[in-house]
C-alpha cells in the first residue's frame, strides 16, 4: 500500500497562533494555499521574492528567484535570477524602455503627429483631410491686405467689406422703418403747426390742409426746415404723445394697439365688461350672498357661522376636529352610532 506523507496544515490564522515552525518544518495554509517553511526563528513563505538593498542581493545561481530592491540605489526594481545573472523585469521610467514612438499604433481617439510636421514642439501644418497648409502659408494669407481689406459696396457675401459711406447710407435707409416707430406728437392736426421743432413727427389725418394735403395717414417729420413724409408699411408702430397711446398701421388705418384692447367678458356671478379704456365689473348677489356698494355679506346657517373674523364651520371638537397642525383641515374626530 502506498504511503501518504502530509505536512502540518491549517488556516493562515491558525498558523499565526501556532507560531514559528521548526527549522525545516513545512506548513500548508488550507484557506490561502500558501506554503511556509520555518527556520526556528521565523516562517518564510515558499516562493516569496527576496528583498532588500541592491548591495545585499545574493549572487545569481538559482533559476526562478526574484529579488525586489526595497531601498537605496535602484529602489523599486524587480530582478529575476536566470541562473547566471539577475535580469530586471520591470520599468519605472521611459529610459528603461526600448523602441520609439513609431512602435505605438494610432488609437481610436488620439494618434501620432508626423515628426516632419513638428517644429520646435509645435505643429507646423493644418489639414482638413483634403487641404493641407503650412503655418507659413496661413500667415502669408492672413497678412495679405489685398485679400482681406478690399471694399466692395455692391457685395453681400460674408467676406465683403463696405465703406463708411455705404454703411451710413444703409443706416439712413433703415431709419425710414425705425424712426416713425419712436413717437408722433399728434394724429389729429389737419394743419401743419406754425412753428414746428426739428425732428417732430405727426400722423397726418384725413382732410389735412397746406403742405400736408393729400398725405393722409403718412408720417410727417420736420427736417432742416422742410417736411419729410414716410408712407407707412404694415406693422409700423408709433406712440402718440398727446394721447399716451400706441397705434399700429394695419395696411388700411392706424389702429390702437396699446391699452386694454381685449374684450372683457363677465361671467360666473359678474356683470359688465367691454372694451373701453375703463371697464366695470359688477358682482351679482344671490343664494345667501348680499352685495352692497362696498361690501359682500354672507348669510350664516346650518353649522356655518359668519362674524368679523370671517366665515367658519361650527366645530364641536368631538365629532368634527379643526386640525391646525395639519394644513388647517377639518377632520372627523369620532363617529357615534347613537342609541337604539
Amino acid at each position: 500500500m502506498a504511503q501518504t506523507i502530509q505536512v502540518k496544515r491549517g488556516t493562515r490564522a491558525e498558523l499565526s497562533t501556532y507560531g514559528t515552525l521548526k527549522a525545516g518544518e513545512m506548513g500548508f495554509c488550507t484557506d490561502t494555499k500558501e506554503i511556509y517553511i520555518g527556520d526556528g526563528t521565523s516562517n518564510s513563505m515558499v516562493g516569496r521574492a527576496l528583498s532588500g538593498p541592491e548591495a545585499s542581493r545574493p549572487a545569481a545561481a538559482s533559476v526562478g528567484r526574484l529579488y525586489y530592491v526595497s531601498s537605496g540605489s535602484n529602489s523599486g526594481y524587480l530582478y529575476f535570477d536566470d541562473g547566471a545573472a539577475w535580469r530586471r523585469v520591470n520599468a519605472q521610467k521611459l529610459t528603461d524602455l526600448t523602441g520609439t514612438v513609431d512602435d505605438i499604433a494610432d488609437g481610436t481617439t488620439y494618434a501620432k503627429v508626423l515628426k516632419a510636421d513638428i517644429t520646435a514642439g509645435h505643429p507646423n501644418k493644418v489639414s482638413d483631410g483634403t487641404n493641407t497648409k503650412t503655418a507659413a502659408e496661413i500667415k502669408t494669407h492672413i497678412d495679405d491686405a489685398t485679400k482681406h481689406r478690399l471694399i466692395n459696396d455692391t457685395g453681400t457675401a460674408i467676406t465683403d467689406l463696405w465703406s463708411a459711406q455705404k454703411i451710413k447710407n444703409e443706416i439712413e435707409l433703415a431709419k425710414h422703418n425705425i424712426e416713425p416707430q419712436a413717437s408722433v406728437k399728434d394724429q389729429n392736426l389737419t394743419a401743419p403747426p406754425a412753428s414746428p421743432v426739428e425732428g417732430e413727427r405727426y400722423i397726418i389725418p384725413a382732410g389735412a390742409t397746406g403742405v400736408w394735403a393729400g398725405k393722409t395717414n403718412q408720417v410727417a417729420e420736420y427736417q432742416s426746415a422742410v417736411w419729410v413724409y414716410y408712407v407707412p408699411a404694415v406693422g409700423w408702430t408709433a406712440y402718440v404723445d398727446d394721447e399716451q397711446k400706441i397705434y399700429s398701421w394695419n395696411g388700411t388705418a392706424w389702429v390702437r394697439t396699446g391699452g386694454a384692447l381685449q374684450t372683457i367678458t363677465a361671467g360666473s356671478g359678474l356683470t359688465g365688461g367691454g372694451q373701453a379704456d375703463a371697464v366695470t365689473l359688477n358682482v351679482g348677489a344671490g343664494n345667501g350672498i348680499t352685495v352692497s356698494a362696498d361690501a359682500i355679506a354672507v348669510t350664516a346657517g346650518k353649522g356655518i357661522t359668519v362674524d368679523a373674523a370671517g366665515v367658519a364651520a361650527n366645530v364641536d371638537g368631538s365629532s368634527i376636529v379643526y386640525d391646525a397642525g395639519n394644513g388647517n383641515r377639518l377632520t372627523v374626530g369620532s363617529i357615534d352610532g347613537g342609541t337604539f
Side-chain angles (χ1 to χ4, degrees):
M1 180 178 178
Q3 291 181 321
T4 300
I5 299 176
Q6 293 180 292
V7 299
K8 193 179 297 295
R9 58 199 176 278
T11 65
R12 183 68 179 81
E14 289 173 337
L15 175 60
S16 297
T17 301
Y18 178 80
T20 304
L21 296 168
K22 296 178 181 180
E25 184 180 12
M26 183 179 292
F28 173 67
C29 296
T30 56
D31 54 346
T32 62
K33 311 305 180 186
E34 296 173 326
I35 298 175
Y36 289 85
I37 295 178
D39 61 4
T41 302
S42 63
N43 298 329
S44 298
M45 187 178 70
V46 177
R48 185 183 67 180
L50 303 173
S51 64
E54 188 173 39
S56 299
R57 188 180 62 191
S62 300
V63 177
R65 287 190 302 175
L66 296 173
Y67 190 90
Y68 177 74
V69 180
S70 58
S71 62
S73 178
N74 288 331
S75 177
Y77 283 114
L78 180 66
Y79 292 86
F80 174 78
D81 185 353
D82 67 0
W86 288 99
R87 307 294 182 182
R88 192 167 63 207
V89 296
N90 68 323
Q92 296 190 92
K93 48 191 177 182
L94 290 177
T95 54
D96 295 335
L97 303 175
T98 59
T100 66
V101 176
D102 294 333
D103 299 324
I104 302 174
D106 288 342
T108 303
T109 304
Y110 300 97
K112 296 174 290 188
V113 178
L114 292 175
K115 183 177 181 180
D117 294 342
I118 300 294
T119 301
H122 300 280
N124 56 39
K125 291 182 181 178
V126 175
S127 175
D128 60 6
T130 301
N131 303 293
T132 300
K133 297 296 181 181
T134 66
E137 290 173 321
I138 295 171
K139 183 179 186 303
T140 299
H141 178 78
I142 293 175
D143 292 344
D144 191 339
T146 62
K147 288 185 173 67
H148 301 286
R149 293 175 176 82
L150 292 178
I151 303 299
N152 181 13
D153 283 347
T154 62
T156 57
I158 59 174
T159 55
D160 289 325
L161 297 180
W162 285 357
S163 65
Q165 184 61 45
K166 171 68 173 177
I167 294 173
K168 180 179 179 181
N169 290 341
E170 291 298 320
I171 292 175
E172 290 300 319
L173 290 175
K175 286 170 62 178
H176 291 178
N177 287 331
I178 297 174
E179 286 191 351
Q181 300 187 49
S183 69
V184 296
K185 303 296 290 182
D186 199 303
Q187 65 165 342
N188 298 305
L189 290 180
T190 56
S195 301
V197 176
E198 177 75 14
E200 284 187 344
R201 285 176 288 270
Y202 296 85
I203 293 177
I204 301 175
T209 60
V211 295
W212 284 5
K215 306 290 187 181
T216 302
N217 292 323
Q218 294 184 27
V219 177
E221 179 176 308
Y222 195 68
Q223 297 181 15
S224 303
V226 296
W227 289 101
V228 178
Y229 305 97
Y230 300 105
V231 178
V234 175
W236 278 24
T237 300
Y239 176 79
V240 180
D241 293 354
D242 67 330
E243 298 181 27
Q244 296 185 0
K245 301 292 183 182
I246 298 175
Y247 287 80
S248 296
W249 178 252
N250 66 4
T252 304
W254 288 94
V255 295
R256 199 175 77 204
T257 54
L261 290 181
Q262 64 273 27
T263 299
I264 299 177
T265 303
S268 299
L270 300 177
T271 60
Q275 196 176 356
D277 288 343
V279 177
T280 301
L281 297 177
N282 299 313
V283 180
N287 294 333
I289 305 297
T290 303
V291 180
S292 64
D294 57 3
I296 297 176
V298 179
T299 301
K302 295 184 179 181
I304 301 299
T305 63
V306 180
D307 54 25
V311 179
N314 185 9
V315 180
D316 59 17
S318 177
S319 60
I320 301 297
V321 178
Y322 175 70
D323 190 353
N326 191 22
N328 295 327
R329 299 178 180 176
L330 292 179
T331 61
V332 176
S334 64
I335 300 176
D336 186 355
T339 60
F340 288 109

